[in-house]
């Protein structure tokens, strides 16, 4: 699976949009972009995933650039409970292939 | 919602003890996984299972074994615990063919003294 690069940490004001970037310049055509987050003292939680098109669900939006070399996870109205480590993962869906979690971005939402 | 339950939140064991970490999921998922998480090293896959009585080694299986006698239960066994196995252990499950959409438990913080 392709490697990803994320900032080590970011701050965001409560109520504002949190935009978390991820670079994956070596992504292949059949690799998806997945986002998970891990709140302190909990296991990781799936957020969203996409291949080419932008995606939105009740938790977040995922914007993938046209060349697919980077993406942004958007939390539209960040709350204190969104403080967590956010993992961007590029993954090829095939039998036996497992997710690889990197270091992620520590997002601190501040009041 | 899928619930993945790990039997203990905190566990303290002595070097050389045999340790069992239990994980149960309630959504009839075929796949189950055991990870460990250490500061600076991220999540590393220890073992996984795609079906009852099946198991496959992950990236760091040494010193561990697993058991899956029932679909909903996946046990991680430390045959002879060592101090370098002090870690946060996370269990996860997923539907067949969906290795990428994992549901995790809250983790077991194991300390081996």
């Amino acid at each position: 699976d392709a490697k990803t690069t994320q900032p080590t940490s970011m701050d965001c004001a409560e109520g504002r949009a949190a935009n978390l970037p991820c670079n994956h310049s070596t992504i292949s055509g059949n690799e998806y972009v997945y986002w998970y987050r891990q709140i302190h003292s909990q296991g990781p939680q799936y957020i969203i995933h996409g291949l080419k098109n932008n995606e939105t669900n009740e938790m977040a939006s995922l914007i993938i650039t046209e060349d697919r070399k980077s993406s942004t996870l958007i939390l539209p109205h960040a709350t204190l409970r969104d403080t967590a480590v956010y993992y961007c993962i590029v993954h090829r869906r095939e039998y036996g292939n497992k997710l690889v979690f990197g270091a992620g971005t520590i997002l601190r939402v501040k009041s | 919602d899928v619930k993945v339950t790990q039997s203990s939140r905190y566990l303290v064991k002595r070097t050389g003890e045999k340790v069992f970490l239990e994980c149960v999921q309630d959504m009839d998922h075929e796949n189950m996984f055991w990870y460990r998480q250490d500061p600076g090293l991220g999540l590393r896959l220890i073992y996984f299972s795609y079906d009852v009585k099946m198991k496959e080694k992950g990236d760091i299986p040494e010193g561990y074994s697993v058991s899956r006698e029932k679909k909903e239960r996946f046990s991680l066994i430390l045959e002879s615990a060592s101090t370098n196995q002090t870690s946060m252990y996370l269990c996860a499950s997923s539907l067949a063919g969906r290795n990428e959409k994992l549901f995790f438990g809250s983790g077991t913080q194991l300390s081996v003294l």
Side-chain angles (χ1 to χ4, degrees), chain A residues 34 36 38 40-46 49 87 91 93-103, chain B residues 9-10 33 35 37 42-43 45 48 50 54 56-57 90 98-107:
Chain A
Y34 286 83
Y36 277 73
Q38 188 173 18
H40 182 63
S41 297
Q42 296 182 23
Q45 175 190 26
Y46 165 84
H49 74 278
Y87 299 99
H91 176 76
R93 284 192 198 176
E94 62 185 34
Y95 181 80
N97 204 18
K98 280 80 66 183
L99 284 182
V100 176
F101 289 79
Chain B
R9 187 76 180 95
Y10 299 96
F33 306 80
Y35 288 84
Q37 186 171 29
L43 277 84
L45 182 62
F48 59 101
Y50 288 149
M54 290 184 66
E56 293 194 38
K57 293 179 180 178
L90 290 157
R98 296 303 305 273
N99 292 350
E100 74 288 351
K101 194 167 180 181
L102 301 176
F103 294 84
F104 281 86
S106 296

Side-chain angles (χ1 to χ4, degrees), chain B residues 16-34:
Chain B
E17 277 193 77
K18 190 168 185 175
V19 181
F20 292 86
L21 301 183
E22 305 288 346
C23 175
V24 177
Q25 50 93 5
D26 66 359
M27 281 300 289
D28 205 34
H29 282 176
E30 288 78 13
N31 304 332
M32 296 190 75
F33 306 80
W34 275 105

Side-chain angles (χ1 to χ4, degrees), chain A:
Chain A
D1 292 343
K3 182 179 164 58
T4 61
T5 304
Q6 298 179 253
T8 303
S9 65
M10 294 179 63
D11 290 340
C12 176
E14 189 179 19
R16 305 296 294 268
N19 298 295
L20 292 98
C22 180
N23 278 314
H24 32 78
S25 58
T26 60
I27 192 169
S28 301
N30 60 352
E31 289 179 317
Y32 288 73
V33 179
Y34 286 83
W35 284 85
Y36 277 73
R37 74 178 182 183
Q38 188 173 18
I39 295 169
H40 182 63
S41 297
Q42 296 182 23
Q45 175 190 26
Y46 165 84
I47 302 173
I48 199 167
H49 74 278
L51 182 63
K52 295 181 190 176
N53 301 321
N54 299 337
E55 303 287 344
T56 295
N57 63 20
E58 65 278 4
M59 290 183 69
S61 295
L62 174 60
I63 308 297
I64 302 174
T65 57
E66 197 167 336
D67 63 7
R68 303 210 322 125
K69 293 186 177 184
S70 66
S71 59
T72 302
L73 180 75
I74 301 172
L75 308 178
H77 305 287
T79 70
L80 299 178
R81 286 174 295 182
D82 292 320
T83 292
V85 179
Y86 286 78
Y87 299 99
C88 170
I89 303 166
V90 170
H91 176 76
R92 189 173 63 254
R93 284 192 198 176
E94 62 185 34
Y95 181 80
N97 204 18
K98 280 80 66 183
L99 284 182
V100 176
F101 289 79
T105 295
I106 300 169
L107 174 69
R108 298 185 195 89
V109 180
K110 299 185 175 181
S111 58

Side-chain angles (χ1 to χ4, degrees), chain B residues 31-64:
Chain B
N31 304 332
M32 296 190 75
F33 306 80
W34 275 105
Y35 288 84
R36 64 177 281 179
Q37 186 171 29
D38 302 285
L41 296 176
L43 277 84
R44 293 179 291 168
L45 182 62
I46 305 171
Y47 266 98
F48 59 101
S49 168
Y50 288 149
D51 202 350
V52 176
K53 296 195 187 295
M54 290 184 66
K55 61 184 179 184
E56 293 194 38
K57 293 179 180 178
D59 300 319
I60 51 163
E62 295 78 21
Y64 303 94

